[in-house]
Amino acid sequence: MPLQPRHLFLRLCMSAFVALIVFLLTGTLVPVNRKFRQTPDGVPVFVVSNGFHTDVVLPLREHRTGTYWLTELNQPTFNTRFGRHQYVAFGWGNEGFYLGSMGGKFPGPKAVVGALFPSRTLMHVGFYPTAPDSGARVVPLRISPEEYRRLASYVRQSFQLDTLKQYQLRQATGYTSHDFFFRSQGRYHALRTCNDWTNHALRQAGIRAALKAPLAASVLFQIRRAH
């Protein structure tokens, strides 16, 4: 007996969904920039995960490329508070999820469901007094100045600029006294996650990354093989 149109549509949707899940998971196993090799005296950068989310951690000041993030962020109080810090972390993610996590809370159902569909995003910026502690969820890298320039360029392009071409501070408080939220470019959805952002940053810089990295573990799986 032939399938009814409605049943056929549902079966096609289920097949497409299964194919999508397989693609997302197998994309983790496919490396991009597989010829990447670390630069022994290169710029120190880190990929840091909390188990669910990933950030890239960069030198606050990088002399070879003329990069000084405090100047670029252009927040006068940051200069006094963080001028002696050595590193700054950048992450990208869903606005509702980020703000719904304030105070150690887990975001509500509205934020979780909303993150599946195109939604507004924020850049999360945090300061480190020294290099991140080594551990299972911290991957240190040494990259060339040119790779660093490309990585920094990707980070810059993720910020939303105001009419004066300045980064826009979303609010003056974050999870701690050392992190903040800025307005960001791009839309978050199920196929474009916070970990995808990190993965794309690595890919654009020419660093080994995954074909697709929806999960933090996906990002770390490939970057660990750059050692």
Side-chain angles (χ1 to χ4, degrees):
M1 178 187 242
L3 289 173
Q4 295 297 318
R6 192 171 109 186
H7 293 161
L8 179 61
F9 175 75
L10 290 174
R11 179 167 292 186
L12 289 174
C13 286
M14 286 299 298
S15 298
F17 178 75
V18 171
L20 175 62
I21 296 301
V22 171
F23 168 71
L24 292 177
L25 294 179
T26 57
T28 297
L29 304 177
V30 181
V32 177
N33 302 325
R34 67 175 67 207
K35 294 183 179 180
F36 166 78
R37 296 294 181 270
Q38 295 199 60
T39 303
D41 60 346
V43 181
V45 302
F46 302 82
V47 178
V48 177
S49 170
N50 64 3
F52 301 97
H53 173 86
T54 48
D55 290 336
V56 292
V57 180
L58 312 179
L60 189 60
R61 185 191 294 270
E62 210 297 299
H63 296 282
R64 284 173 285 186
T65 59
T67 305
Y68 187 38
W69 289 106
L70 283 180
T71 299
E72 298 196 33
L73 292 169
N74 194 31
Q75 299 293 320
T77 60
F78 286 9
N79 297 333
T80 302
R81 296 173 62 186
F82 307 116
R84 295 189 177 185
H85 283 52
Q86 295 183 25
Y87 290 90
V88 57
F90 296 100
W92 177 92
N94 175 267
E95 181 180 63
F97 216 92
Y98 266 144
L99 300 184
S101 301
M102 300 286 286
K105 297 181 295 183
F106 190 82
K110 182 178 179 180
V112 174
V113 173
L116 299 175
F117 303 96
S119 45
R120 289 187 297 187
T121 56
L122 295 175
M123 287 293 289
H124 186 220
V125 179
F127 294 91
Y128 283 68
T130 59
D133 293 335
S134 61
R137 294 175 179 170
V138 177
V139 181
L141 297 167
R142 289 274 181 173
I143 63 177
S144 71
E146 180 54 34
E147 289 164 345
Y148 181 80
R149 287 188 185 95
R150 294 199 295 264
L151 181 57
S153 176
Y154 181 89
V155 171
R156 291 187 188 101
Q157 292 169 15
S158 298
F159 283 90
Q160 187 178 124
L161 304 181
D162 62 20
T163 56
L164 299 176
K165 306 298 183 183
Q166 301 294 327
Y167 301 159
Q168 300 182 61
L169 187 65
R170 168 63 169 78
Q171 61 183 50
T173 56
Y175 301 125
T176 70
S177 61
H178 290 73
D179 68 287
F180 307 87
F181 292 109
F182 287 76
R183 297 193 184 278
S184 176
Q185 300 276 12
R187 293 285 174 171
Y188 187 105
H189 51 81
L191 300 181
R192 176 61 167 155
T193 68
C194 53
N195 298 305
D196 263 325
W197 180 88
T198 302
N199 194 62
H200 274 271
L202 299 172
R203 287 179 61 170
Q204 181 162 310
I207 301 168
R208 183 172 175 129
L211 176 64
K212 191 66 177 173
L215 306 175
S218 305
V219 178
L220 299 182
F221 177 82
Q222 286 296 343
I223 197 63
R224 285 194 183 108
R225 281 150 183 79
H227 282 237

